[in-house]
């Protein structure tokens, strides 16, 4: 028998209680894994979206809203004239309800701009020109809106025709309704206004040079902020808010887990008072009793962490298959997140065990003689 | 694991193990005077029985000897060191003394062989040797066929045998027993007592045994009678016939 056997036996003496505590802590950890995984996945897939469009720099004004603030399309010409800019593409991007779908990315792109190039037709055709009343749908968007080629699509007051379904190579692209910028400006009465400029830097520029270019753009275009593609989402307040919410919710779930473990460990110390006194009476050092309790709670945390990671991962996979969400989640469950979750859970276990362990070490061995 | 005995000043007489002078213990801020000034000396290898009516302070005295609690006043030495001031009371309890309780006090979620190993965690004996020694000890108390039984599956006599084996885990030089046969029928009590006395003789341990059974007192080399927290008689007894 090893010390570890004693620790395990301590948890097994009340299997139901240990099991329930495990469920409690693992739900907390599952929440951490799911929420953080989803929000990080969101960030990552946004970055992939930029990459497939070949965008190096995104110029936009990410305020408090989910969609960026519009500015004059004349900014694009100012930036386009910079020698380091290979090409620029004006965009009007909006998050809005389209027919039955409550949240859709509508991406209106400068006709002929490079941001059309990554779209591969799966079926149908691209619009003939900038003003044809036509849209193309990313394949997920088509599924969500239940549209096929030739179907009408209501956008604001105008009825457009779905002429093509495309594979955009990234989740964000596939979930978008894509149309010509000029057409969109005309429909929405936003002539001369855009809210995003995708920029391709001259090929061969280093990361530092791209960053310097951002500064240069900021100097000539104070209406918006230039950011290296992929990093810009983290600067959006809306995204930061969502991020903070997911961490906050996770934290709450973890605190509930802490209280569960602490309660269990206090109960176990109380229940085993006499046994702990016996151990002290036959020569165990108080430190060994403390270690026994702490190892028990750490093991509880470790097992809860493993189970939590599994529940969280499976939970999000199930969520992904729901029709309402299908194609909108691209969670990022990497080994690092799972490792952090398990470590967090062990830390939670140890912290929750501190007070019960201290209590147990204060018991006097003479109590063993009584009863 | 017995520590080498310090050289006794009087080489001829056996070494002094315990010495109490004016030993007092009170509980509840002095409302209960469990020990009211006790004096005695116990030397190496003695078999001392402490006898007296219920509530006279026998268990309290044994707790002081075992460093399970501290005296309120007076002096209590183990081999010339104050027990209350031991730098490592756990180490003292683990290695110097073995304790046997009336209620056995085995850990219910551990088997016989595991219970016996518990005190060995305070030594640097590796796991395999712990098991080996526990099996040896259980064999010496006649329980080689009950190694993997949980306490709930053992009879009272068997439980006390496991407890005795556990008390010997680290080879103590002193055995403290608090009414070890109090929860046993007379047949089992007789066997347990014989076992304790045999082990004491084999290992030359000092034995302090608390009882209120006069028949047991006749087996001891010395009987201390207590009443109301005081020693009222302290007599050497002639060795039993045979
Ligand atoms: N922890 C304690 N708190 C208060 N009183 C105690 C405690 N332990 C023992 N006593 C009291 O001290 C006296 C001696 O008790 P004890 O040593 O157990 O007697 P014995 O073992 O001879 O029956 C009794 O009056 C008992 O009630
Ligand atoms: Mg008693």
């Amino acid at each position: 028998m090893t010390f570890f056997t004693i620790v395990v036996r301590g948890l097994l003496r009340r299997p139901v209680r240990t099991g329930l505590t495990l469920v409690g802590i693992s739900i907390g950890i599952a929440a951490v894994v799911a929420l953080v995984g989803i929000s990080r996945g969101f960030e990552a897939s946004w970055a992939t979206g930029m990459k497939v469009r070949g965008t190096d720099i995104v110029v936009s004004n990410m305020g408090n809203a989910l969609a960026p603030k519009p500015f004059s399309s004349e900014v694009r010409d100012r930036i386009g004239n910079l020698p380091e800019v290979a090409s620029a593409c004006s965009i009007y991007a909006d998050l809005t309800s389209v027919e039955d779908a409550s949240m859709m990315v509508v991406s209106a792109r400068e006709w002929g701009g490079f941001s059309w190039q990554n779209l591969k037709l799966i079926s149908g055709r691209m619009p003939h020109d900038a003003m044809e009343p036509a849209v193309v749908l990313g394949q997920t968007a088509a599924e969500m809106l239940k549209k096929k080629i030739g179907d009408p699509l209501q956008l604001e007051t105008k009825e457009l025709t779905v002429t093509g379904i495309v594979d955009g190579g990234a989740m964000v692209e596939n979930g978008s309704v894509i149309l010509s910028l000029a057409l969109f400006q005309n429909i929405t009465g936003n002539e001369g206004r855009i809210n995003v400029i995708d920029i391709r830097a001259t090929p061969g520029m280093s990361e530092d040079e791209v960053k310097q270019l951002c500064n240069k753009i900021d100097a000539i275009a104070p209406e918006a902020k230039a950011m290296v593609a992929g990093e810009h989402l983290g600067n959006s307040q809306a995204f930061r808010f969502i991020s903070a919410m997911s961490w906050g919710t996770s934290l709450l779930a973890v605190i509930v887990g802490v209280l569960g473990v602490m309660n269990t460990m206090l109960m176990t110390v109380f229940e085993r008072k006499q046994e702990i006194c016996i151990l002290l009476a036959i020569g165990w050092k108080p430190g060994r009793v403390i270690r026994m309790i702490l190892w028990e709670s750490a093991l509880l945390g470790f097992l809860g962490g493993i189970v939590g990671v599994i529940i969280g991962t499976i939970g999000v996979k199930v969520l992904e298959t729901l029709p309402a969400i299908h194609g909108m989640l691209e969670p990022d469950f990497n080994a690092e997140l799972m490792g952090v979750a398990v470590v967090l859970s062990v830390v939670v276990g140890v912290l929750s065990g501190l007070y019960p362990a201290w209590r147990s070490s204060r018991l006097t061995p003479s109590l063993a003689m009584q009863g | 694991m017995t520590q080498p005995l310090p050289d006794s000043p009087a080489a001829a007489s056996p070494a002094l193990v315990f010495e109490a002078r004016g030993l007092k213990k009170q509980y509840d801020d002095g409302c209960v005077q469990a020990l009211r000034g006790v004096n005695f000396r116990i030397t190496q290898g003695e078999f001392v029985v402490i006898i007296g009516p219920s509530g006279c302070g026998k268990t309290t005295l044994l707790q002081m000897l075992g460093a399970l609690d501290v005296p309120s006043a007076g002096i209590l030495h183990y081999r010339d060191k104050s027990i209350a001031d031991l730098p490592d009371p756990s180490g003292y309890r683990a290695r110097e003394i073995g304790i046997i309780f009336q209620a056995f006090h085995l850990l219910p979620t551990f088997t016989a062989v595991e219970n016996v190993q518990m005190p060995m965690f305070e030594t640097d004996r590796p796991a395999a040797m712990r098991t080996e020694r526990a099996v040896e000890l259980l064999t010496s108390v006649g329980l080689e066929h009950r190694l993997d039984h949980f306490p709930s599956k053992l009879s009272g006599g068997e439980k006390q045998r496991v407890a005795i084996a556990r008390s010997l885990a680290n080879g103590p030089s002193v055995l403290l027993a608090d009414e070890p046969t109090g929860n046993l029928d007379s047949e089992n009590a007789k066997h347990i007592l014989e076992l304790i006395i045999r082990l004491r003789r084999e290992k030359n341990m000092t034995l302090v045994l608390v009882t209120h059974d006069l028949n047991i007192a006749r087996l001891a080399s010395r009987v201390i009678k207590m009443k109301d927290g005081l020693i009222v008689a302290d007599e050497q007894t002639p060795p039993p016939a045979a």
Side-chain angles (χ1 to χ4, degrees), chain A residues 1-3 6 9 13 274-275 278-286 288 365-366 368-371, chain B residues 63 68-69 88 90 93-94 101 103 105 107-110 114 117-119 121-122 130-131 150 166:
Chain A
M1 181 180 61
T2 62
F3 188 63
I6 299 177
R9 206 68 67 78
R13 59 184 288 143
Q274 166 131 53
E275 285 171 47
I278 293 168
L279 287 169
L280 291 169
I282 62 173
W284 272 34
K285 290 191 172 61
R288 186 172 302 275
S366 63
M369 294 288 245
Q370 290 152 7
Chain B
Q63 283 175 356
L68 303 185
D69 207 339
D88 177 18
S90 301
R93 293 194 285 261
F101 308 92
H105 284 342
L107 303 181
T109 50
F110 295 90
E114 288 166 343
Q117 287 173 64
M118 286 297 172
F121 282 93
E122 291 299 330
R130 287 199 291 265
T131 313
F150 285 93
R166 179 180 66 184

Side-chain angles (χ1 to χ4, degrees), chain B residues 57 102 128 142 170 209 236:
Chain B
Q102 176 175 359
N170 296 329
L209 191 149
Q236 304 287 331

Side-chain angles (χ1 to χ4, degrees), chain B residues 66-117:
Chain B
L68 303 185
D69 207 339
V70 287
S72 308
I75 283 171
L76 182 60
H77 281 178
Y78 171 76
R79 299 191 196 280
D80 290 329
K81 283 188 219 92
S82 166
I83 292 179
D85 303 323
L86 287 171
D88 177 18
S90 301
Y92 168 75
R93 293 194 285 261
R95 287 180 287 273
E96 301 296 323
I97 59 162
I99 295 197
I100 306 165
F101 308 92
Q102 176 175 359
F104 323 128
H105 284 342
L106 299 179
L107 303 181
T109 50
F110 295 90
T111 63
V113 75
E114 288 166 343
N115 264 284
V116 175
Q117 287 173 64

Side-chain angles (χ1 to χ4, degrees), chain A residues 22-211:
Chain A
L22 264 181
V23 170
I25 187 168
S26 56
I27 286 174
I29 295 301
V32 174
V33 169
L35 292 169
V36 176
I38 287 172
S39 79
R40 283 176 38 155
F42 188 58
E43 210 174 349
S45 54
W46 204 271
T48 337
M50 291 299 150
K51 214 187 259 160
V52 295
R53 259 148 68 178
T55 305
D56 296 316
I57 294 172
V58 180
V59 180
S60 66
N61 184 352
M62 282 289 201
N64 294 322
L66 268 173
K69 278 200 201 119
F71 47 84
S72 164
S73 59
E74 167 261 334
V75 175
R76 177 221 182 284
D77 302 325
R78 257 187 269 155
I79 296 170
N81 286 335
L82 289 172
E84 297 93 334
V85 173
S87 51
C89 178
S90 296
I91 293 178
Y92 201 114
D94 205 2
L95 263 175
T96 177
S97 61
V98 176
E99 296 193 347
D100 292 339
S102 54
M103 278 273 258
M104 283 255 108
V105 176
V106 175
S107 176
R109 303 174 182 188
E110 184 182 338
W111 188 246
F114 70 82
S115 297
W116 288 90
Q117 288 167 4
N118 64 298
L119 306 177
K120 287 189 196 70
L121 272 173
I122 296 173
S123 59
R125 60 166 179 83
M126 289 294 179
H128 287 310
D129 58 61
M131 292 312 287
E132 185 193 352
V135 292
V136 296
L137 301 177
Q139 46 188 352
T140 319
E143 264 172 50
M144 287 170 71
L145 293 164
K146 300 189 188 70
K147 297 286 181 191
K148 35 185 210 312
I149 306 296
D151 283 351
L153 184 115
Q154 186 81 22
L155 197 65
E156 303 260 308
T157 56
K158 185 95 172 167
E159 193 173 284
L160 307 174
T161 308
V162 176
T163 59
I165 290 170
V166 295
D167 175 6
M171 191 192 74
V172 184
E173 295 282 274
N174 287 339
S176 298
V177 174
I178 299 158
L179 72 166
S180 148
L181 174 65
L183 176 67
F184 182 81
Q185 287 171 330
N186 180 265
I187 294 171
T188 57
N190 269 315
E191 272 93 355
R193 305 196 60 76
I194 57 176
N195 63 3
V196 178
I197 306 170
D198 280 2
I199 288 171
R200 271 186 190 172
T202 329
M205 272 172 71
S206 71
E207 254 178 62
D208 275 350
E209 286 168 328
V210 172
K211 283 210 177 97

